[in-house]
Amino acid sequence: MSLPVGDLTEVVSSLRVASEADNSRAEHVSGMIADVRARGDDALVDDARRFGAPGFSRDDVRVSSQAMGEAVARMHGDLRDAILMATAQIRATAEALAPRDTEVALSAGQRITSRAVPVNAAGCYVPGGRAAYPSSLLMTAVPAQVAGVGRIAVISPPDDDGRPSDLIVGAAALLGIDEVYAAGGASAIAALAYGTATIAPVDVITGPGNAWVTEAKRQVFGTVGIDGLAGPSEVLIVADVTADPRAIALDLLAQAEHGPDSPAILASDSSAFIDAVEVVLAEEPPNIGPVTLVECPSRARALELADAFAPEHLELCFNGAAEAARRVRCAGAVFVGPNCATAFGDYVAGSNHVLPTGGSARFASALGPATYTRRMSVVDMTDDAVETLVPHLSVLAEAEGFEMHRRSAEIRSAGMREKA
């Protein structure tokens, strides 16, 4: 497609794959949440049996320490090494980003300390179904560990043997996490939010999932915190003739691999480069997701499209990409230069792959230690600060009609004068 000269709103809308309307999903999810709240573990058992684990029982809800050890023992060395290496990259980045206490001494004399306080308990949802995703476990659990969360519960759908994938169980064991539960979908989110006899409730739920998981997170938000409402994964690539068309085509196909609702978009000011990418795409097996090639009148216009689309992943592959990256305002993660395939961010670069989607990069951020951290103000009022600030407080309180606010402050200054 060719990018028009005017407003980009309609273009952005057309590039996103419209989700098929399902007005009954919210109602169904609400019923599943209510069932877990009412019946607890029994609801999880019925859910697991219904979705492919016919012998599932209450004893299977929590994965035993023995099963966790066996999962690690079955893990081949290369995979174990890869998990440990990826963990080290993610942990190093998270440690650099971890919120820290900040103290401010103000001119009137008061001191304000903003404390970074981790939540007490976090629940990490790891999807199952089509495949196992240990990388999603690392991306959610490691930042929670860095933040100092005292209790981390991992929950993932059971296979037909009644346990989550060995990849998930083994990765959790390698991280030193001993709470792993077998449950999936909306029921798993409800169990983390409200608790059951086996699963104690948490304070924050993180991790990607399907539309049912996302709807459940939407409905429990407020009872617990969430990392965000994940939509289909997406990439937008801005590239020109200096890029390798085969590499860019594979980046697009890697995104399309996520599924038929995952946009993979190339924006380029070179029709020759678009043609070259199109040739490579035709040589590869048919992709399962939409790939869109957009011809732009200029690179500047391509970058405008990128900011308007606010993609989860943005790749910049042209001379001057590093400078352009500093001007990007709306993207979940930016990958700069010919080496930076999005796949590195998905696994081993160290950045987090739980990112804002569907345009929410305009206001949301990647998952990190801050997701599991609260900011708590500690206020220390000196005598000088009281004397300086009470007159101004009194004026403001009177203006808002809060007499007791005024009097509760004025009694402090009066008490100081009596002692003097």
Side-chain angles (χ1 to χ4, degrees), residues 25 60 87 96 122 159 169 187 325 334 342 392:
R25 181 178 293 126
D60 295 319
T87 297
D159 291 337
V169 175
S187 297
V334 184
T342 296
H392 302 290

Side-chain angles (χ1 to χ4, degrees), residues 346-365:
D346 285 342
Y347 293 109
V348 294
S351 59
N352 205 286
H353 81 201
V354 181
L355 299 166
T357 61
S360 62
R362 294 176 295 109
F363 54 82
S365 306

Side-chain angles (χ1 to χ4, degrees), residues 139-201:
M139 296 290 177
T140 53
V142 172
Q145 291 177 324
V146 170
V149 177
R151 173 180 160 245
I152 300 172
V154 173
I155 195 163
S156 189
D159 291 337
D160 55 11
D161 64 359
R163 283 207 309 266
S165 164
D166 264 8
L167 290 177
I168 305 305
V169 175
L174 289 176
L175 291 180
I177 295 171
D178 61 4
E179 260 192 82
V180 179
Y181 300 102
S187 297
I189 301 302
L192 290 173
Y194 299 105
T196 70
T198 301
I199 305 173

Side-chain angles (χ1 to χ4, degrees), residues 206-228:
T206 61
N210 62 19
W212 296 83
V213 169
T214 298
E215 178 59 32
K217 288 169 73 174
R218 188 195 313 274
Q219 292 192 24
V220 302
F221 176 65
T223 298
V224 294
I226 61 172
D227 52 348

Side-chain angles (χ1 to χ4, degrees), residues 301-346:
R301 188 62 169 162
L303 292 169
E304 285 180 28
L305 173 64
D307 247 17
F309 190 81
E312 178 188 19
H313 308 100
L314 173 63
E315 291 187 21
L316 303 179
C317 197
F318 48 81
N319 292 331
E323 175 59 31
R326 287 191 280 273
R327 297 194 298 273
V328 171
R329 300 297 301 273
C330 301
V334 184
F335 299 84
V336 181
N339 290 335
C340 271
T342 296
F344 285 105
D346 285 342

